[in-house]
């Protein structure tokens, strides 16, 4: 794995009025690395992810993607940079009146100006990758939650992002559907995709993450390998959190 950071969060702060949600967060994610972010609800994990593509506007700090600061430049620059940052949410955000194929081609055609043939070919490739090509002509309402989430991942991948952000991608799914989405994420890691994942799937973190980051109260409390964080956490806050979620 290259040591060059693909995503760099520098001194990131986010305030809502007098409430400071993120307090001087610093985090580097190397190219091809899977960083798993854990912590209690309200610790700032999702806000940090949303700041990474400015869905949430940082109060201060810098977000650097592949060497370029997305806090600098024009609105058009930001729109271009956002294409390099795929984001998968808890909800699937698919257009219910469009087929799976059209959901995956829409942004390609509008944002990347790909021809219909190019966009369709790329969509089918990405749907193959997530095991959903056989549902290309189905509508979202005909799919299970796990299938819809896999389509949402394919839609992000079709834009050729340099980093993928996952915000609780399995929390809205029935337990038996979670595995199919985690398998897609594992496959992406094996292909070298840079990923930041906020999730409560601790087993997946232990097995798949390169690094685990524990956040609480808007700060990074500690970070390390899965063995270090789950096996021998240094901070009392980390130990208390892990005993709650595993108990």
């Amino acid at each position: 794995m290259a040591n060059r950071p693909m995503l760099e969060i520098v001194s990131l702060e986010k305030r809502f009025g007098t409430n400071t949600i993120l307090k001087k967060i610093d985090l580097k994610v190397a190219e091809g690395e899977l960083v798993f972010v854990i912590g209690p609800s309200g610790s700032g994990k999702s806000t940090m992810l949303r700041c990474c593509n400015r869905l949430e506007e940082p109060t201060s700090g810098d977000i650097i993607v592949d060497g370029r600061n997305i806090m600098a430049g024009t609105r058009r620059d930001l729109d271009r940079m956002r294409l390099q940052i795929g984001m998968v949410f808890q909800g699937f955000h698919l257009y219910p009146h469009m087929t799976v194929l059209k959901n995956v081609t829409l942004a390609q055609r509008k944002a990347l100006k790909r021809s219909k043939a190019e966009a369709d070919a790329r969509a089918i490739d990405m749907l193959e990758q997530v095991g959903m090509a056989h549902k290309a002509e189905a509508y979202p309402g005909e799919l299970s939650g796990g299938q819809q989430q896999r389509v949402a991942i394919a839609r992000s991948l079709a834009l050729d992002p340099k980093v993928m952000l996952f915000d609780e991608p399995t929390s809205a799914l029935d337990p038996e559907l979670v595995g199919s989405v985690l398998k897609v994420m594992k496959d992406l890691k094996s292909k070298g995709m840079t990923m930041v994942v906020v999730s409560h799937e601790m087993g997946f973190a232990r097995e798949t993450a390169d690094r685990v980051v524990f956040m609480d109260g808007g700060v990074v409390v500690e970070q390390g390998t899965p063995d270090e964080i789950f096996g021998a956490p240094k901070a009392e806050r980390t130990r208390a959190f892990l005993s709650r979620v595993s108990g």
Side-chain angles (χ1 to χ4, degrees):
M1 182 194 305
N3 289 324
R4 181 175 76 96
M6 181 57 78
L7 173 66
E8 209 170 340
I9 299 169
V10 184
S11 250
L12 180 65
E13 284 211 338
K14 177 62 184 176
R15 290 191 295 275
F16 291 104
T18 57
N19 191 9
T20 303
I21 306 294
L22 299 174
K23 304 166 185 172
K24 298 284 183 192
I25 298 276
D26 288 301
L27 185 65
K28 287 184 182 178
V29 181
E31 187 173 7
E33 189 178 24
L34 193 166
V35 171
F36 207 95
V37 185
I38 63 173
S41 293
S43 57
K45 309 180 301 292
S46 292
T47 302
M48 179 183 77
L49 274 199
R50 291 170 69 85
C51 283
C52 285
N53 60 5
R54 287 176 63 186
L55 277 177
E56 208 64 79
E57 196 59 38
T59 305
S60 62
D62 292 302
I63 306 287
I64 298 160
V65 178
D66 197 21
R68 294 185 60 189
N69 190 347
I70 73 165
M71 298 304 294
T74 64
R75 179 77 209 188
R76 184 175 288 182
D77 293 332
L78 173 61
D79 289 342
R80 267 200 300 269
M81 287 302 291
R82 273 197 176 133
L83 295 173
Q84 299 180 2
I85 309 163
M87 186 140 190
V88 176
F89 301 90
Q90 184 173 328
F92 320 121
H93 302 299
L94 299 176
Y95 292 107
H97 62 289
M98 290 185 177
T99 63
V100 161
L101 184 66
K102 285 195 172 144
N103 266 283
V104 181
T105 57
L106 182 67
Q108 293 186 66
R109 296 187 66 186
K110 282 196 179 315
L112 298 181
K113 307 299 183 207
R114 285 180 180 157
S115 68
K116 182 178 185 305
E118 276 181 304
D120 284 357
R122 180 69 179 155
I124 292 295
D125 278 352
M126 293 304 97
L127 288 167
E128 289 272 8
Q129 193 168 322
V130 302
M132 289 299 297
H134 65 297
K135 295 287 190 181
E137 295 307 321
Y139 287 86
E142 300 169 328
L143 307 179
S144 71
Q147 289 174 323
Q148 289 187 61
Q149 190 61 292
R150 281 147 62 197
V151 172
I153 293 170
R155 177 181 57 190
S156 282
L157 292 175
L159 298 172
D160 306 317
K162 292 186 170 167
V163 58
M164 287 282 287
L165 309 175
F166 291 87
D167 188 11
E168 300 281 8
T170 59
S171 63
L173 302 181
D174 293 333
E176 69 272 19
L177 302 176
V178 167
S180 66
V181 173
L182 296 182
K183 180 185 181 303
V184 168
M185 294 166 68
K186 203 181 210 174
D187 290 346
L188 284 179
K189 175 174 165 45
S190 72
K191 292 180 166 75
M193 176 59 76
T194 307
M195 293 189 275
V196 183
V197 180
V198 167
S199 173
H200 294 290
E201 299 289 341
M202 300 297 165
F204 181 73
R206 278 176 183 268
E207 187 188 340
T208 315
D210 294 300
R211 189 156 37 111
V212 177
V213 173
F214 174 67
M215 284 180 70
D216 191 16
V219 299
V220 171
V221 176
E222 68 176 302
Q223 55 182 298
T225 65
D227 283 349
E228 288 166 344
I229 297 298
F230 293 115
K234 295 186 178 72
E236 176 51 42
R237 277 195 280 177
T238 315
R239 287 196 290 273
F241 171 74
L242 290 172
S243 71
R244 284 200 306 277
V245 296
S246 60

